[in-house]
Amino acid sequence: MKILTFDVGATNIKYAVCDGKFKLSDKHIIPTEADKGGQQLVLKLISIIESYDDIDRVAVSTTGQVDSKNGIVVYSTGAIPYYTGMMVKKIIENKTGIPTYVENDVNAFAMGEAQFGAAKGKSDFLAMTYGGGIGGALYLDNKLYKGMGSSAGEFGHMITHAGGKQCVCGGEGCYECYASTNALLESVNKKNNTNLDAFEIFKKENFEKPEIRSCIDLWIDEMIIGLINIIYVFNPPLIVLGGGIMNEDYVIDLIDRKIYNQLMDNFKDVNIVRSKLGNDAALLGVAAEAAKL
């Protein structure tokens, strides 16, 4: 079986070919061009699919809250205009005739880590991804918990600062306004009059500047606030952290050094680890589900 698997974000689309043994090849990254809207995005996916001759299944991991049974984006905060309500599965299948599976990107990340990565063999865990926003997923009794409207796990929109910054969701003081990678970039660049990206912030010449390091440390403290809240609500045995920023050893190490000092003793058994699969997690997660169609 050959599966063409996509991971659609607001900035980039990653895609690859997955074989029957769940090995990825022919990997690509292209701009999403989110400003063109949801319809153009799906047409872009179809154009890529039609460039291959022998695809048996299509798998799509995507930003937004997703009804995976019907392959519909039930809600998108606006990073991709006119994406809410998009019938991704139906449109792709009607155009290509190829069975298609669609899932939220963080749910897909969790499924990938559960089957092939850091959570393999674990029946219960939480997954968190930190990037432009913050996403979450709950894996309970060996399956995803979706909630009433297929939208459970929106941890990025927990209120951690009542009356705080305006969020893209329409709320104020959401966790992702303070603890996402975008929040770190905003803090560093505003306070230091710079224009650094996340990779540049952690370069030695920037990272060793006290004024930048203080921004990083305060941002990690914000991450820890949200993680503690989640740990107290769910009491999970394992949390898997994803997102490119987690490749920085300083981030995961400081979380590890600080968070256990702030937890009640009977919650300290939680194991907090970074993703084992990185950018491949969501691609593999949806591919494994598409293989079952």
Side-chain angles (χ1 to χ4, degrees):
M1 178 176 289
K2 187 176 285 188
I3 303 163
L4 187 58
T5 180
F6 293 90
D7 184 12
V8 178
T11 304
N12 293 313
I13 298 170
K14 305 177 188 74
Y15 66 97
V17 173
C18 181
D19 66 19
K21 295 182 179 179
F22 300 102
K23 302 296 183 183
L24 298 177
S25 62
D26 195 26
K27 296 182 182 180
H28 300 270
I29 301 178
I30 61 172
T32 304
E33 298 179 301
D35 59 307
K36 293 183 179 180
Q39 186 70 35
Q40 288 301 312
L41 167 58
V42 177
L43 291 176
K44 177 180 284 194
L45 299 184
I46 290 170
S47 177
I48 294 168
I49 296 164
E50 290 180 336
S51 71
Y52 289 83
D53 295 326
D54 52 353
I55 296 301
D56 301 300
R57 300 286 187 274
V58 172
V60 181
S61 156
T62 179
T63 182
Q65 299 168 13
V66 175
D67 168 5
S68 59
K69 180 179 179 180
N70 298 298
I72 300 171
V73 178
V74 296
Y75 183 74
S76 174
T77 56
I80 303 174
Y82 312 112
Y83 203 34
T84 297
M86 187 63 60
M87 298 180 180
V88 179
K89 174 182 171 70
K90 182 178 180 180
I91 295 170
I92 291 175
E93 289 185 342
N94 284 350
K95 182 65 176 176
T96 69
I98 302 173
T100 299
Y101 178 80
V102 185
E103 180 58 274
N104 163 267
D105 52 359
V106 189
N107 285 345
F109 169 83
M111 292 189 299
E113 293 292 337
Q115 296 185 65
F116 310 106
K120 187 174 181 179
K122 304 296 183 182
S123 62
D124 300 88
F125 69 96
L126 301 181
M128 301 283 293
T129 59
Y130 293 80
I134 296 174
L138 296 82
Y139 210 82
L140 306 173
D141 292 329
N142 290 303
K143 62 183 179 180
L144 282 169
Y145 175 75
K146 295 294 203 62
M148 181 175 62
S150 300
S151 303
E154 283 288 347
F155 299 136
H157 299 291
M158 299 184 302
I159 307 301
T160 57
H161 293 260
K165 296 177 183 178
Q166 186 73 37
C167 183
V168 293
C169 74
E172 295 179 342
C174 292
Y175 181 39
E176 70 178 39
C177 293
Y178 299 87
S180 64
T181 303
N182 276 6
L184 172 63
L185 299 181
E186 180 183 353
S187 172
V188 168
N189 290 323
K190 184 176 180 180
K191 291 182 180 179
N192 297 280
N193 194 27
T194 53
N195 189 30
L196 303 173
D197 62 26
F199 176 75
E200 292 168 332
I201 286 172
F202 285 90
K203 282 186 175 180
K204 185 177 180 180
E205 62 267 26
N206 295 315
F207 180 71
E208 291 184 347
K209 293 178 180 177
E211 60 272 23
I212 289 181
R213 181 75 69 86
S214 66
C215 290
I216 295 171
D217 288 353
L218 288 172
W219 167 71
I220 291 173
D221 286 342
E222 293 287 355
M223 295 175 71
I224 289 171
I225 288 171
L227 287 169
I228 287 173
N229 285 332
I230 292 165
I231 290 167
Y232 283 153
V233 172
F234 294 102
N235 193 21
L238 174 68
I239 299 177
V240 181
L241 303 181
I245 202 72
M246 290 302 161
N247 292 326
E248 302 294 340
D249 289 340
Y250 183 80
V251 176
I252 195 76
D253 289 347
L254 192 57
I255 290 172
D256 192 63
R257 291 202 307 270
K258 281 189 166 187
I259 195 167
Y260 295 100
N261 293 329
Q262 300 179 47
L263 287 169
M264 288 188 283
D265 287 347
N266 55 321
F267 286 84
K268 290 183 178 181
D269 287 338
V270 58
N271 189 21
I272 301 173
V273 301
R274 75 174 118 205
S275 164
K276 184 176 180 180
L277 301 175
N279 287 337
D280 291 345
L283 293 170
L284 288 169
V286 283
E289 291 301 308
K292 301 174 185 177
L293 295 176

